[in-house]
Amino acid sequence: MTKTINRNHLRELESEAIFIMRELASQFERPVLLFSGGKDSIVLVHLAMKAFYPAKIPFPLMHIDTGHNFDETIAFRDKMAKEMGAELIVKYVQDSIDQGKVIEETGADASRNKLQITTLLDGIADVKADAAIGGGRRDEEKARAKERFFSHRDAFGQWDPKNQRPELWNLFNGRKNMGEHFRVFPISNWTEMDVWQYILMEDIEMPSLYYTHKRKVFNRDGAWLAAAPFMQLKDGEEIVELDVRCRTIGDVSCTGLSLSTADNLEDIVKEVAAARETERGGRSDDKRSEAAMEDRKKEGYF
Amino acid sequence: MDNKAYLDMSLLRFTTAGSVDDGKSTLIGRLLYDSKSIFEDQLDAITETSKRKGDEQVDLALLTDGLRAEREQGITIDVAYRYFATPKRKFIIADTPGHIQYTRNMVTGASTANLAIILVDARNGVLEQTLRHTYIAHLLNIPHIVFCVNKMDLVDFSEERYNEIKTELEGIATKLKVKDAHFIPISARDGDNVVDKSTRCNWYNGTTLLNLLENIEIKDDRNMVDARFPVQYVVRPQQDRFHDYRGFAGRIASGIFKPGDKVMALPSERISTVKAIDFHTDELDEALPSQSVTLRLEDEIDISRGDMIVHADNKPTISNNFNINVCWFNERPLVVGKKYILRHTTNELQCMVKGVNFKTNINTYAQDKENLEINMNDIANIEIMSAKPIFFDSYRKSRNTGSIILIEEGTNETVAAGMIE
């Protein structure tokens, strides 16, 4: 049966992202898709499947595993990779720690977030990837607002935000020297709302963490964090069980949970529409300083 | 918002031109704020920063001046993209900084824009920079230009002053053959005619800015005549179920493709018929400009990335020698006789700059044929010889098949953007 597709804003963004997927598959020899199990990377995988259908996606998925995951994320990741027949590469932050390449932070606020940079860059080098596809969006964070679709990284994996290549029309310049690589962001122009509306429109399966569920949590500096064996409580913090859901999924140590009763996609879209805080507002990794994201990105972060 | 209303929203990309003094940041801030696109934590953060810096008003530019260097120096280094939505449309703003490297950034921001907002200070009227902004919008062939005469509150909402400026702007628009020009008297600071209609200038019967942005017709801007499909990627599944599948993936550059259309592959000039237009598991009855699809043809002909599928009875120009208008992006000046890498649609090949025809003074629109050294931010008309023929339309006819970039070998930097004459 043939059909005509309604060209709404989501279809425009989808066509743009599919174009980027096909462009990177043509311009790079060994791309990998950075898959975290969060909504943005799930949407990326969905777009990649559409871009190359009926062929399989022509690159593997790579997960940088901090070891501080929600169990649901890992289960979802494995199931998804298996169903689509994709190769899944997992690189562990624990290995970087064991190799003595990074040193674990200590104290109650310790996070493996920044340690991921080393694991990520080593992972990219290990598989000789010349492009790493990420789900970063420009509306997420002010340093990300300056990202290109095709973002150049030097031989040390560093980003030079002041000296980026201009991007015009549909023409993307992925040329590079030996040892350099690119980060590619197909959903640069999507907002959090676009992502959820698209998930709703396409009825994409999401991990249960995004829907309301009962969870043991504690409050730190106004944010609800999940209780876990590796999370140390500070004085005065106590564990309670509440109805919560994730608005964004990072590792357990830095993902703020929001109190919510949303148990379906329609309700999530409504909640996002009514939200008065940005989605990363609950991310303690961004709160370390005004330029926390920029500093991490310059060193090679996602 | 009603549950399904989002399925009927469209997308408008626009660019804003004007310096800080023109109230550009204030205008964008107002659009974002009044459409509830600024979040509380963002507002808190910039309120605190503004206070710390000793500013009286909240500096909305801090919202997107994301880099440390930008905040330290109080400047915008790069094009910043901002997003907001109303129940009718999603908007992408390419906000371009108003100081050094201005031309380069505005050209970049304008390249994908459906519309340009050009701000004019009601007290100062048309200045050199207004001429520059209008010229770039015209050069990049932005279909709609909205001139906002701002700071009307500072001229007591004088109808006479507004008409004086409007007449001058109309003269420029006519001279440059701007297709669709609009004029709105506003006060970005107080919000007059931005989102809500002003009660302070009853003589103005036109629309507010947001109303115009929400309703302006952009569908007709697309070239629906010249069917062009640059082949981006060949889909060949290595699976038994799709053993004979061979699809050509790409994004429609212009025109309409339908199953049954008689098409020609370039450069081979072999003829075939469109068998099907695939989009994931669906087969479409037509594909329109900007849609990413996969075409299958009736006949097995050799087609690869960089080739183009077109309607057999409507060929583009095929040539290896052409003139382009370029904006030069690099600190190293253009070198005549030097080889550059040319990127056009999905094609990449070597080319040589044969010569400079003239340089355009974007403040006076005069053509300079004497001083032909092309430096960063210069606009010039140059002659290109490519290693092989390319298939193109003039930029005026089709943005997608009429645009190129030049890349420098060795540094791999994008050194110029070009529009084929």
Side-chain angles (χ1 to χ4, degrees), chain B residues 312-339:
Chain B
D313 58 3
N314 177 347
K315 280 199 281 182
T317 308
I318 303 171
S319 171
N320 68 342
N321 193 201
F322 42 90
N323 287 328
I324 60 176
N325 290 307
V326 284
C327 174
W328 198 254
F329 283 171
N330 206 270
E331 279 157 9
R332 286 179 298 284
L334 174 147
V335 179
V336 174
K338 177 169 164 167
K339 279 182 192 154

PDB file of all heavy atoms in Angstrom, chain B residues 312-339:
ATOM      1  N   ALA B 312      13.810  12.642 -16.724  1.00  0.00           N
ATOM      2  CA  ALA B 312      14.499  12.498 -18.016  1.00  0.00           C
ATOM      3  C   ALA B 312      14.286  13.710 -18.916  1.00  0.00           C
ATOM      4  O   ALA B 312      15.143  14.039 -19.743  1.00  0.00           O
ATOM      5  CB  ALA B 312      14.025  11.222 -18.704  1.00  0.00           C
ATOM      6  N   ASP B 313      13.150  14.413 -18.749  1.00  0.00           N
ATOM      7  CA  ASP B 313      12.873  15.542 -19.644  1.00  0.00           C
ATOM      8  C   ASP B 313      13.270  16.899 -19.041  1.00  0.00           C
ATOM      9  O   ASP B 313      12.903  17.940 -19.544  1.00  0.00           O
ATOM     10  CB  ASP B 313      11.389  15.553 -20.024  1.00  0.00           C
ATOM     11  CG  ASP B 313      10.489  15.645 -18.790  1.00  0.00           C
ATOM     12  OD1 ASP B 313      11.028  15.754 -17.654  1.00  0.00           O
ATOM     13  OD2 ASP B 313       9.257  15.610 -18.958  1.00  0.00           O
ATOM     14  N   ASN B 314      14.004  16.870 -17.930  1.00  0.00           N
ATOM     15  CA  ASN B 314      14.401  18.132 -17.293  1.00  0.00           C
ATOM     16  C   ASN B 314      15.777  17.965 -16.658  1.00  0.00           C
ATOM     17  O   ASN B 314      15.908  17.629 -15.493  1.00  0.00           O
ATOM     18  CB  ASN B 314      13.330  18.520 -16.248  1.00  0.00           C
ATOM     19  CG  ASN B 314      13.704  19.782 -15.474  1.00  0.00           C
ATOM     20  OD1 ASN B 314      14.838  20.262 -15.508  1.00  0.00           O
ATOM     21  ND2 ASN B 314      12.723  20.323 -14.764  1.00  0.00           N
ATOM     22  N   LYS B 315      16.799  18.175 -17.501  1.00  0.00           N
ATOM     23  CA  LYS B 315      18.172  17.982 -17.021  1.00  0.00           C
ATOM     24  C   LYS B 315      18.734  19.252 -16.389  1.00  0.00           C
ATOM     25  O   LYS B 315      18.426  20.345 -16.832  1.00  0.00           O
ATOM     26  CB  LYS B 315      19.087  17.584 -18.197  1.00  0.00           C
ATOM     27  CG  LYS B 315      18.983  16.121 -18.570  1.00  0.00           C
ATOM     28  CD  LYS B 315      20.201  15.688 -19.375  1.00  0.00           C
ATOM     29  CE  LYS B 315      20.113  16.120 -20.839  1.00  0.00           C
ATOM     30  NZ  LYS B 315      21.272  15.655 -21.640  1.00  0.00           N
ATOM     31  N   PRO B 316      19.587  19.118 -15.383  1.00  0.00           N
ATOM     32  CA  PRO B 316      20.297  20.295 -14.872  1.00  0.00           C
ATOM     33  C   PRO B 316      21.421  20.669 -15.837  1.00  0.00           C
ATOM     34  O   PRO B 316      21.636  19.985 -16.832  1.00  0.00           O
ATOM     35  CB  PRO B 316      20.865  19.799 -13.543  1.00  0.00           C
ATOM     36  CG  PRO B 316      21.026  18.327 -13.717  1.00  0.00           C
ATOM     37  CD  PRO B 316      19.954  17.885 -14.673  1.00  0.00           C
ATOM     38  N   THR B 317      22.131  21.738 -15.541  1.00  0.00           N
ATOM     39  CA  THR B 317      23.302  22.096 -16.340  1.00  0.00           C
ATOM     40  C   THR B 317      24.430  21.123 -16.002  1.00  0.00           C
ATOM     41  O   THR B 317      24.624  20.779 -14.842  1.00  0.00           O
ATOM     42  CB  THR B 317      23.756  23.534 -16.001  1.00  0.00           C
ATOM     43  OG1 THR B 317      22.629  24.390 -16.113  1.00  0.00           O
ATOM     44  CG2 THR B 317      24.859  23.998 -16.921  1.00  0.00           C
ATOM     45  N   ILE B 318      25.135  20.665 -17.026  1.00  0.00           N
ATOM     46  CA  ILE B 318      26.261  19.756 -16.788  1.00  0.00           C
ATOM     47  C   ILE B 318      27.508  20.434 -17.328  1.00  0.00           C
ATOM     48  O   ILE B 318      27.628  20.659 -18.529  1.00  0.00           O
ATOM     49  CB  ILE B 318      26.024  18.400 -17.491  1.00  0.00           C
ATOM     50  CG1 ILE B 318      24.705  17.791 -17.014  1.00  0.00           C
ATOM     51  CG2 ILE B 318      27.196  17.448 -17.239  1.00  0.00           C
ATOM     52  CD1 ILE B 318      24.258  16.573 -17.789  1.00  0.00           C
ATOM     53  N   SER B 319      28.413  20.805 -16.420  1.00  0.00           N
ATOM     54  CA  SER B 319      29.591  21.556 -16.875  1.00  0.00           C
ATOM     55  C   SER B 319      30.714  21.469 -15.852  1.00  0.00           C
ATOM     56  O   SER B 319      30.470  21.220 -14.672  1.00  0.00           O
ATOM     57  CB  SER B 319      29.197  23.017 -17.088  1.00  0.00           C
ATOM     58  OG  SER B 319      30.351  23.798 -17.333  1.00  0.00           O
ATOM     59  N   ASN B 320      31.937  21.685 -16.331  1.00  0.00           N
ATOM     60  CA  ASN B 320      33.063  21.724 -15.395  1.00  0.00           C
ATOM     61  C   ASN B 320      33.649  23.127 -15.278  1.00  0.00           C
ATOM     62  O   ASN B 320      34.716  23.321 -14.730  1.00  0.00           O
ATOM     63  CB  ASN B 320      34.148  20.715 -15.800  1.00  0.00           C
ATOM     64  CG  ASN B 320      34.816  21.113 -17.096  1.00  0.00           C
ATOM     65  OD1 ASN B 320      34.274  21.927 -17.848  1.00  0.00           O
ATOM     66  ND2 ASN B 320      35.977  20.549 -17.362  1.00  0.00           N
ATOM     67  N   ASN B 321      32.935  24.094 -15.825  1.00  0.00           N
ATOM     68  CA  ASN B 321      33.420  25.467 -15.808  1.00  0.00           C
ATOM     69  C   ASN B 321      32.246  26.398 -15.505  1.00  0.00           C
ATOM     70  O   ASN B 321      31.285  26.458 -16.259  1.00  0.00           O
ATOM     71  CB  ASN B 321      34.019  25.771 -17.192  1.00  0.00           C
ATOM     72  CG  ASN B 321      34.835  27.059 -17.188  1.00  0.00           C
ATOM     73  OD1 ASN B 321      35.058  27.640 -18.220  1.00  0.00           O
ATOM     74  ND2 ASN B 321      35.255  27.518 -16.027  1.00  0.00           N
ATOM     75  N   PHE B 322      32.312  27.079 -14.369  1.00  0.00           N
ATOM     76  CA  PHE B 322      31.161  27.909 -13.981  1.00  0.00           C
ATOM     77  C   PHE B 322      31.605  29.037 -13.059  1.00  0.00           C
ATOM     78  O   PHE B 322      32.678  28.992 -12.463  1.00  0.00           O
ATOM     79  CB  PHE B 322      30.086  27.051 -13.297  1.00  0.00           C
ATOM     80  CG  PHE B 322      30.643  26.041 -12.318  1.00  0.00           C
ATOM     81  CD1 PHE B 322      30.810  26.376 -10.994  1.00  0.00           C
ATOM     82  CD2 PHE B 322      31.023  24.753 -12.745  1.00  0.00           C
ATOM     83  CE1 PHE B 322      31.338  25.465 -10.095  1.00  0.00           C
ATOM     84  CE2 PHE B 322      31.572  23.837 -11.849  1.00  0.00           C
ATOM     85  CZ  PHE B 322      31.728  24.197 -10.517  1.00  0.00           C
ATOM     86  N   ASN B 323      30.760  30.050 -12.957  1.00  0.00           N
ATOM     87  CA  ASN B 323      31.030  31.175 -12.059  1.00  0.00           C
ATOM     88  C   ASN B 323      30.215  31.024 -10.777  1.00  0.00           C
ATOM     89  O   ASN B 323      29.063  30.594 -10.814  1.00  0.00           O
ATOM     90  CB  ASN B 323      30.631  32.496 -12.723  1.00  0.00           C
ATOM     91  CG  ASN B 323      31.613  32.873 -13.831  1.00  0.00           C
ATOM     92  OD1 ASN B 323      32.802  32.560 -13.744  1.00  0.00           O
ATOM     93  ND2 ASN B 323      31.103  33.518 -14.862  1.00  0.00           N
ATOM     94  N   ILE B 324      30.834  31.366  -9.664  1.00  0.00           N
ATOM     95  CA  ILE B 324      30.097  31.327  -8.402  1.00  0.00           C
ATOM     96  C   ILE B 324      30.319  32.624  -7.622  1.00  0.00           C
ATOM     97  O   ILE B 324      31.343  33.281  -7.764  1.00  0.00           O
ATOM     98  CB  ILE B 324      30.513  30.125  -7.507  1.00  0.00           C
ATOM     99  CG1 ILE B 324      32.008  30.171  -7.158  1.00  0.00           C
ATOM    100  CG2 ILE B 324      30.165  28.805  -8.141  1.00  0.00           C
ATOM    101  CD1 ILE B 324      32.443  29.069  -6.207  1.00  0.00           C
ATOM    102  N   ASN B 325      29.330  32.964  -6.796  1.00  0.00           N
ATOM    103  CA  ASN B 325      29.511  34.030  -5.819  1.00  0.00           C
ATOM    104  C   ASN B 325      29.987  33.367  -4.542  1.00  0.00           C
ATOM    105  O   ASN B 325      29.318  32.478  -4.021  1.00  0.00           O
ATOM    106  CB  ASN B 325      28.184  34.753  -5.573  1.00  0.00           C
ATOM    107  CG  ASN B 325      27.766  35.561  -6.783  1.00  0.00           C
ATOM    108  OD1 ASN B 325      28.538  36.371  -7.289  1.00  0.00           O
ATOM    109  ND2 ASN B 325      26.554  35.335  -7.266  1.00  0.00           N
ATOM    110  N   VAL B 326      31.159  33.765  -4.061  1.00  0.00           N
ATOM    111  CA  VAL B 326      31.669  33.133  -2.845  1.00  0.00           C
ATOM    112  C   VAL B 326      31.743  34.116  -1.684  1.00  0.00           C
ATOM    113  O   VAL B 326      31.939  35.314  -1.875  1.00  0.00           O
ATOM    114  CB  VAL B 326      33.097  32.545  -2.980  1.00  0.00           C
ATOM    115  CG1 VAL B 326      33.102  31.268  -3.737  1.00  0.00           C
ATOM    116  CG2 VAL B 326      34.075  33.552  -3.526  1.00  0.00           C
ATOM    117  N   CYS B 327      31.605  33.542  -0.501  1.00  0.00           N
ATOM    118  CA  CYS B 327      31.958  34.275   0.697  1.00  0.00           C
ATOM    119  C   CYS B 327      33.194  33.568   1.231  1.00  0.00           C
ATOM    120  O   CYS B 327      33.176  32.347   1.436  1.00  0.00           O
ATOM    121  CB  CYS B 327      30.831  34.231   1.713  1.00  0.00           C
ATOM    122  SG  CYS B 327      31.311  34.997   3.275  1.00  0.00           S
ATOM    123  N   TRP B 328      34.289  34.314   1.421  1.00  0.00           N
ATOM    124  CA  TRP B 328      35.540  33.699   1.840  1.00  0.00           C
ATOM    125  C   TRP B 328      35.585  33.616   3.370  1.00  0.00           C
ATOM    126  O   TRP B 328      35.309  34.584   4.058  1.00  0.00           O
ATOM    127  CB  TRP B 328      36.743  34.483   1.294  1.00  0.00           C
ATOM    128  CG  TRP B 328      37.990  33.659   1.345  1.00  0.00           C
ATOM    129  CD1 TRP B 328      39.024  33.791   2.217  1.00  0.00           C
ATOM    130  CD2 TRP B 328      38.299  32.550   0.500  1.00  0.00           C
ATOM    131  NE1 TRP B 328      39.966  32.812   1.957  1.00  0.00           N
ATOM    132  CE2 TRP B 328      39.554  32.047   0.917  1.00  0.00           C
ATOM    133  CE3 TRP B 328      37.642  31.919  -0.572  1.00  0.00           C
ATOM    134  CZ2 TRP B 328      40.154  30.942   0.304  1.00  0.00           C
ATOM    135  CZ3 TRP B 328      38.238  30.834  -1.180  1.00  0.00           C
ATOM    136  CH2 TRP B 328      39.485  30.353  -0.747  1.00  0.00           C
ATOM    137  N   PHE B 329      35.925  32.429   3.885  1.00  0.00           N
ATOM    138  CA  PHE B 329      35.810  32.158   5.310  1.00  0.00           C
ATOM    139  C   PHE B 329      37.140  32.102   6.048  1.00  0.00           C
ATOM    140  O   PHE B 329      37.178  31.989   7.256  1.00  0.00           O
ATOM    141  CB  PHE B 329      35.160  30.778   5.516  1.00  0.00           C
ATOM    142  CG  PHE B 329      33.678  30.757   5.299  1.00  0.00           C
ATOM    143  CD1 PHE B 329      32.989  29.547   5.268  1.00  0.00           C
ATOM    144  CD2 PHE B 329      32.958  31.932   5.165  1.00  0.00           C
ATOM    145  CE1 PHE B 329      31.621  29.517   5.097  1.00  0.00           C
ATOM    146  CE2 PHE B 329      31.580  31.910   4.991  1.00  0.00           C
ATOM    147  CZ  PHE B 329      30.916  30.694   4.954  1.00  0.00           C
ATOM    148  N   ASN B 330      38.235  32.084   5.305  1.00  0.00           N
ATOM    149  CA  ASN B 330      39.498  31.745   5.954  1.00  0.00           C
ATOM    150  C   ASN B 330      40.451  32.915   6.065  1.00  0.00           C
ATOM    151  O   ASN B 330      40.410  33.849   5.271  1.00  0.00           O
ATOM    152  CB  ASN B 330      40.158  30.601   5.175  1.00  0.00           C
ATOM    153  CG  ASN B 330      41.076  29.777   6.052  1.00  0.00           C
ATOM    154  OD1 ASN B 330      42.254  30.066   6.166  1.00  0.00           O
ATOM    155  ND2 ASN B 330      40.517  28.755   6.689  1.00  0.00           N
ATOM    156  N   GLU B 331      41.325  32.831   7.065  1.00  0.00           N
ATOM    157  CA  GLU B 331      42.325  33.879   7.259  1.00  0.00           C
ATOM    158  C   GLU B 331      43.334  33.906   6.124  1.00  0.00           C
ATOM    159  O   GLU B 331      43.867  34.959   5.781  1.00  0.00           O
ATOM    160  CB  GLU B 331      43.068  33.665   8.581  1.00  0.00           C
ATOM    161  CG  GLU B 331      42.272  34.188   9.761  1.00  0.00           C
ATOM    162  CD  GLU B 331      42.665  33.545  11.063  1.00  0.00           C
ATOM    163  OE1 GLU B 331      43.676  32.808  11.099  1.00  0.00           O
ATOM    164  OE2 GLU B 331      41.952  33.779  12.058  1.00  0.00           O
ATOM    165  N   ARG B 332      43.587  32.744   5.538  1.00  0.00           N
ATOM    166  CA  ARG B 332      44.477  32.738   4.377  1.00  0.00           C
ATOM    167  C   ARG B 332      43.650  33.130   3.147  1.00  0.00           C
ATOM    168  O   ARG B 332      42.609  32.531   2.888  1.00  0.00           O
ATOM    169  CB  ARG B 332      45.073  31.336   4.166  1.00  0.00           C
ATOM    170  CG  ARG B 332      46.147  30.968   5.191  1.00  0.00           C
ATOM    171  CD  ARG B 332      46.696  29.570   4.956  1.00  0.00           C
ATOM    172  NE  ARG B 332      45.670  28.556   5.102  1.00  0.00           N
ATOM    173  CZ  ARG B 332      45.202  28.147   6.281  1.00  0.00           C
ATOM    174  NH1 ARG B 332      45.651  28.654   7.401  1.00  0.00           N
ATOM    175  NH2 ARG B 332      44.264  27.223   6.343  1.00  0.00           N
ATOM    176  N   PRO B 333      44.102  34.148   2.412  1.00  0.00           N
ATOM    177  CA  PRO B 333      43.299  34.620   1.273  1.00  0.00           C
ATOM    178  C   PRO B 333      43.184  33.586   0.151  1.00  0.00           C
ATOM    179  O   PRO B 333      43.957  32.627   0.104  1.00  0.00           O
ATOM    180  CB  PRO B 333      44.044  35.865   0.797  1.00  0.00           C
ATOM    181  CG  PRO B 333      45.366  35.864   1.455  1.00  0.00           C
ATOM    182  CD  PRO B 333      45.327  34.933   2.609  1.00  0.00           C
ATOM    183  N   LEU B 334      42.212  33.805  -0.698  1.00  0.00           N
ATOM    184  CA  LEU B 334      42.030  32.934  -1.863  1.00  0.00           C
ATOM    185  C   LEU B 334      43.255  33.037  -2.773  1.00  0.00           C
ATOM    186  O   LEU B 334      43.789  34.122  -2.968  1.00  0.00           O
ATOM    187  CB  LEU B 334      40.766  33.370  -2.623  1.00  0.00           C
ATOM    188  CG  LEU B 334      40.431  32.705  -3.948  1.00  0.00           C
ATOM    189  CD1 LEU B 334      38.912  32.619  -4.096  1.00  0.00           C
ATOM    190  CD2 LEU B 334      40.996  33.438  -5.144  1.00  0.00           C
ATOM    191  N   VAL B 335      43.680  31.893  -3.295  1.00  0.00           N
ATOM    192  CA  VAL B 335      44.821  31.899  -4.210  1.00  0.00           C
ATOM    193  C   VAL B 335      44.349  31.435  -5.587  1.00  0.00           C
ATOM    194  O   VAL B 335      43.892  30.305  -5.747  1.00  0.00           O
ATOM    195  CB  VAL B 335      45.952  30.971  -3.701  1.00  0.00           C
ATOM    196  CG1 VAL B 335      47.122  30.959  -4.683  1.00  0.00           C
ATOM    197  CG2 VAL B 335      46.407  31.394  -2.306  1.00  0.00           C
ATOM    198  N   VAL B 336      44.434  32.334  -6.539  1.00  0.00           N
ATOM    199  CA  VAL B 336      44.050  31.982  -7.906  1.00  0.00           C
ATOM    200  C   VAL B 336      45.048  30.958  -8.436  1.00  0.00           C
ATOM    201  O   VAL B 336      46.250  31.077  -8.211  1.00  0.00           O
ATOM    202  CB  VAL B 336      44.017  33.241  -8.798  1.00  0.00           C
ATOM    203  CG1 VAL B 336      43.773  32.871 -10.256  1.00  0.00           C
ATOM    204  CG2 VAL B 336      42.931  34.195  -8.319  1.00  0.00           C
ATOM    205  N   GLY B 337      44.527  29.927  -9.097  1.00  0.00           N
ATOM    206  CA  GLY B 337      45.389  28.881  -9.636  1.00  0.00           C
ATOM    207  C   GLY B 337      45.607  27.732  -8.665  1.00  0.00           C
ATOM    208  O   GLY B 337      46.201  26.720  -9.020  1.00  0.00           O
ATOM    209  N   LYS B 338      45.130  27.910  -7.425  1.00  0.00           N
ATOM    210  CA  LYS B 338      45.305  26.851  -6.433  1.00  0.00           C
ATOM    211  C   LYS B 338      44.174  25.830  -6.541  1.00  0.00           C
ATOM    212  O   LYS B 338      43.049  26.161  -6.892  1.00  0.00           O
ATOM    213  CB  LYS B 338      45.310  27.487  -5.029  1.00  0.00           C
ATOM    214  CG  LYS B 338      45.422  26.497  -3.882  1.00  0.00           C
ATOM    215  CD  LYS B 338      45.692  27.222  -2.557  1.00  0.00           C
ATOM    216  CE  LYS B 338      45.427  26.305  -1.380  1.00  0.00           C
ATOM    217  NZ  LYS B 338      45.948  26.845  -0.119  1.00  0.00           N
ATOM    218  N   LYS B 339      44.544  24.581  -6.199  1.00  0.00           N
ATOM    219  CA  LYS B 339      43.528  23.522  -6.217  1.00  0.00           C
ATOM    220  C   LYS B 339      42.822  23.452  -4.864  1.00  0.00           C
ATOM    221  O   LYS B 339      43.466  23.476  -3.817  1.00  0.00           O
ATOM    222  CB  LYS B 339      44.174  22.171  -6.499  1.00  0.00           C
ATOM    223  CG  LYS B 339      44.432  21.951  -7.960  1.00  0.00           C
ATOM    224  CD  LYS B 339      45.035  20.571  -8.174  1.00  0.00           C
ATOM    225  CE  LYS B 339      45.565  20.426  -9.588  1.00  0.00           C
ATOM    226  NZ  LYS B 339      46.639  19.452  -9.655  1.00  0.00           N
TER     227      LYS B 339
END
